[in-house]
Amino acid sequence: MKLYSDDELYDIFDTPVFRLVGSTADELGVECYVVGGYVRDIFLERPSNDIDVVVVGSGIAVAQAMKEKLGRKAHLSVFRNFGTAQVKFRMKSGKEMEIEFVGARKESYSHDSRKPIVENGTLADDQNRRDFTINALAVCLNKARFGELVDPFDGILDLEDGIIRTPLDPDITFSDDPLRMMRCIRFATQLNFFIEDETFAALERNRERINIISGERIQEELNKILRSAVPSKGFIDLHRCGLLYIILPELVALDIVEKGPNGRVHKNNFYHTLEVLDNVSRHTDNVWLRWAALLHDIGKPKSKRWENAVGWTFHNHNYIGAKMVPEIFRRLKLPLDIKMKYVQKLVDLHMRPIVIADEEVTDSAVRRLINDAGDDIDDLMTLCEGDITSKNEVRKRQFLDNFRMVREKLADLKDRDFKRLLQPVIDGNEIMEIFGLTPSREVGTLKQTLKNAVLDNTVPNEREPLMKLLISKAASMGLTPRTSS
C-alpha cells in the first residue's frame, strides 16, 4: 500500500475526465464523489476500471448532463428503477471509460430479503451503508474541495494494517445483506488481508442468514475466491466461520482424521485438498481446473474403509466423487454444460496418472490415458502433479520424476498423431454391417476388443490384422460374418 499526501491525491484525480464530472456537478449545484473500489485500489496500487460516482442529489441528472457535453462519442444507459446511470465513452488516447453514477442514499432492510428500502440521503448516509471501511473511502470532485479524501471510518488505516472491517455494527451489516459475508472473505482472500476479530465473530453468528442468498450470487463469490492467488485462504475462513458447511458440506466432510484398530490414522483430506488447490493455482488461471482440484477428493468420505492388510483405503473415490459433481453444480447454479463435464472428467480420472507413475510407465498405459482424457490430458497432468503432497521427499521426487516420464511419452505420442493411432480403422458401423447386427452389447464387445488391441499395441492399427482379430473374437461369441472377409 502507498500513502498519498493531499497534494499527491489531488494530482492523481486532476484529469480531464474527473474535472469534467466535477464541473458538471457544480453546474447542477450538487456534490459528487468518487467512491468505493476505485479509490481503494489507488492506495493499493492495483489497476481498476470501475469508476463509481456518488451524487448528493440525482446521479441520473449528472450522467445525462455528462452525455450532452461528451456528445455522440458517449453512450448513456439509465436504470431508473435503481436510480443509477452509466456513461461509456472513448478518450482521445483510445482508452475506454465507464462511469457509474448513483444518488447518495440510505437503506433499510426486512429480515427475509437482502433488497433494501432506499431513500435519498447524504454522503454520510451513503458511506454508512457500505460493506467495509476500505470500500467507504470517497474523494470529492467539486471544484471547491477537489481531491479531498473523506474517510469517516479510518479505512486508510485498515488498508495500511491489512484489515477487513465493517463501518458499523457487523451483525447488522451481515444480517441486512448476507452476501456481504461472502464478500468479506473474498476481499480478505484477494487482498491477503485479515478479518478483524469482531467482524469475524459476526460471520459466525450470522452464517445461517446465507440461506436467503441465491446459488448464483454465492458461486460468483466462490469463483472470485478460486481465481485469487492463494484460494485456500478463503476456504479456510469459510470453514472457520461455518459458512462452508452450509455452502459446500461435501468439503467439510473431508475435515476428519480417524484412527484404525492399530492406531494408524489417515491424512486430513480437507487440508490436503486445499494444498492441491494452491499447487494447481500456481500453474493455471483456469477456474474450472481449480474447481476440479477443489472437488477431486470429495468421494473419499463415502469410500473410506479399514482393511487390516493395508490400513485405510479409499477405493473408487474418484468415481464416487465424479458422480457427486453434477449435484454440487446444480445446487450452486454453476453451468451444467461442457464445463461441468470437464470437472467431472478430471475428478474421475485424477488417479490414473498416479497409478501409472507408481508403476512402470508403459506406452500401453499412456495410450489408454490419452484416449480417455482426450484434449484435457495436459490439465489432468497439472492436477495430478499438484496432488502429490507427500511429506516424504524421496517418494515425492519419485512420483514427480515418473510424471515427467509420462509427459515425455505423451509428447512423443502426440508427435506421432496419437488420435490416428488410438482409433481402430474398423468402426462400429462396419462391424454391424459385417455381422448383420444392430446396436447391441455384442457390437460393444467387438469394438472394445479392437480398441484394447490398438491401445496395448498388440495388433497394428491396420485393416488386415484387425479383421483377423475381429473374425476370431466374433467366432468365439458364436457370430459369423454375412459375407467372406
Side-chain angles (χ1 to χ4, degrees):
M1 174 190 170
K2 184 172 181 179
L3 289 174
Y4 292 99
S5 68
D6 292 344
D7 288 342
E8 288 174 322
L9 199 59
Y10 181 100
D11 290 340
I12 289 170
F13 281 87
D14 190 12
T15 67
V17 171
F18 289 129
R19 284 293 187 183
L20 181 60
V21 175
S23 64
T24 303
D26 283 336
E27 290 168 12
L28 295 175
V30 294
E31 298 174 32
C32 71
Y33 302 83
V34 181
V35 297
Y38 187 85
V39 181
R40 176 199 69 220
D41 288 342
I42 283 174
F43 287 96
L44 292 175
E45 299 183 276
R46 300 171 74 219
S48 180
N49 296 318
D50 297 327
I51 303 175
D52 294 322
V53 173
V54 163
V55 177
V56 184
S58 172
I60 293 174
V62 175
Q64 289 171 331
M66 272 278 293
K67 165 67 172 84
E68 290 179 13
K69 289 187 175 186
L70 290 167
R72 294 175 59 185
K73 65 181 179 181
H75 176 75
L76 172 68
S77 301
V78 176
F79 310 96
R80 294 195 180 277
N81 288 344
F82 299 98
T84 66
Q86 185 185 77
V87 179
K88 292 183 180 180
F89 58 96
R90 187 186 298 273
M91 301 180 65
K92 289 182 180 179
S93 65
K95 182 180 179 181
E96 292 280 354
M97 295 290 292
E98 185 176 307
I99 304 178
E100 190 92 19
F101 293 86
V102 62
R105 59 193 183 185
K106 54 184 176 181
E107 299 173 342
S108 58
Y109 291 81
S110 62
H111 189 71
D112 59 351
S113 173
R114 62 180 291 264
K115 294 180 180 179
I117 300 168
V118 178
E119 303 175 69
N120 293 334
T122 64
L123 175 66
D125 291 327
D126 202 89
Q127 289 177 299
N128 286 343
R129 72 177 183 83
R130 299 278 162 175
D131 49 9
F132 308 110
T133 60
I134 63 173
N135 293 335
L137 302 168
V139 172
C140 186
L141 297 182
N142 296 97
K143 184 176 181 180
R145 297 167 51 213
F146 190 88
E148 177 185 317
L149 177 67
V150 183
D151 180 18
F153 306 111
D154 292 326
I156 292 295
L157 295 180
D158 288 345
L159 280 176
E160 193 174 9
D161 293 338
I163 289 174
I164 302 294
R165 181 171 60 89
T166 59
L168 304 178
D169 184 336
D171 284 303
I172 295 174
T173 298
F174 294 146
S175 181
D176 280 350
D177 184 355
L179 186 63
R180 290 169 176 164
M181 294 190 288
M182 296 294 299
R183 285 169 57 83
C184 178
I185 291 172
R186 186 250 293 181
F187 278 121
T189 307
Q190 287 179 325
L191 302 176
N192 194 26
F193 279 19
F194 292 98
I195 301 170
E196 180 259 344
D197 288 346
E198 184 53 32
T199 300
F200 193 90
L203 289 176
E204 296 177 282
R205 290 191 293 267
N206 291 277
R207 61 182 179 268
E208 294 293 337
R209 291 283 289 152
I210 201 68
N211 286 310
I212 73 168
I213 302 298
S214 68
E216 289 92 345
R217 301 308 301 271
I218 290 173
Q219 59 103 338
E220 285 175 14
E221 296 299 325
L222 286 176
N223 279 334
K224 289 176 182 177
I225 291 171
L226 279 169
R227 287 188 172 99
S228 62
V230 186
S232 64
K233 175 176 168 55
F235 287 96
I236 289 171
D237 281 345
L238 285 169
H239 187 24
R240 286 175 55 222
C241 73
L243 280 169
L244 193 62
Y245 179 77
I246 301 170
I247 296 168
L248 267 174
E250 297 87 351
L251 276 182
V252 176
L254 295 172
D255 187 15
I256 186 172
V257 175
E258 289 188 71
K259 284 186 178 181
N262 65 354
R264 183 175 175 182
V265 300
H266 60 79
K267 65 186 174 187
N268 185 305
N269 286 302
F270 176 73
Y271 291 100
H272 161 74
T273 290
L274 297 187
E275 188 175 353
V276 174
L277 174 60
D278 285 347
N279 288 343
V280 167
S281 298
R282 280 191 283 271
H283 297 284
T284 179
D285 293 328
N286 180 349
V287 72
W288 304 110
L289 180 49
R290 294 184 182 201
W291 267 108
L294 186 69
L295 302 180
H296 80 283
D297 272 351
I298 55 170
K300 280 190 171 179
K302 291 184 178 180
S303 64
K304 183 166 62 177
R305 300 287 185 274
W306 174 263
E307 296 180 7
N308 288 329
V310 294
W312 289 107
T313 66
F314 303 92
H315 296 312
N316 293 323
H317 75 272
N318 54 307
Y319 173 79
I320 294 169
K323 292 292 186 183
M324 295 167 67
V325 168
E327 170 55 29
I328 292 172
F329 269 54
R330 273 192 292 269
R331 189 174 71 238
L332 293 175
K333 302 294 189 278
L334 287 159
L336 301 177
D337 55 11
I338 190 170
K339 298 181 181 68
M340 185 271 287
K341 293 184 182 299
Y342 165 89
V343 172
Q344 193 174 25
K345 179 204 282 190
L346 294 190
V347 171
D348 188 21
L349 294 178
H350 82 270
M351 291 299 295
R352 288 277 295 281
I354 293 174
V355 171
I356 293 173
D358 201 25
E359 301 170 355
E360 183 182 356
V361 182
T362 65
D363 282 356
S364 174
V366 175
R367 281 196 184 95
R368 289 178 177 276
L369 183 62
I370 292 174
N371 180 74
D372 292 341
D375 293 337
D376 301 318
I377 184 66
D378 288 331
D379 288 349
L380 177 63
M381 291 301 297
T382 297
L383 171 60
C384 293
E385 285 164 348
D387 198 14
I388 305 304
T389 63
S390 172
K391 300 301 181 275
N392 183 327
E393 289 300 323
V394 173
R395 182 160 173 75
K396 184 175 182 178
R397 176 48 51 196
Q398 177 187 355
F399 267 112
L400 293 177
D401 285 345
N402 282 356
F403 275 143
R404 179 180 50 77
M405 293 175 60
V406 172
R407 281 195 180 273
E408 288 173 355
K409 286 188 179 292
L410 286 171
D412 179 56
L413 287 171
K414 284 180 181 179
D415 288 343
R416 291 155 53 192
D417 188 10
F418 68 82
K419 288 185 178 179
R420 176 180 57 81
L421 291 173
L422 298 183
Q423 297 302 321
V425 296
I426 300 174
D427 63 15
N429 290 328
E430 188 173 359
I431 291 172
M432 289 189 286
E433 185 179 342
I434 291 171
F435 295 100
L437 298 171
T438 57
S440 60
R441 181 178 297 177
E442 287 84 357
V443 175
T445 299
L446 293 172
K447 281 179 61 180
Q448 193 60 48
T449 297
L450 299 185
K451 192 167 201 175
N452 286 343
V454 171
L455 292 172
D456 292 335
N457 203 28
T458 56
V459 174
N461 191 8
E462 298 170 3
R463 186 171 184 77
E464 185 175 347
L466 282 180
M467 188 62 74
K468 288 181 180 179
L469 174 62
L470 176 64
I471 297 300
S472 173
K473 179 63 177 178
S476 72
M477 297 167 60
L479 299 172
T480 56
R482 290 194 300 180
T483 56
S484 60
S485 299

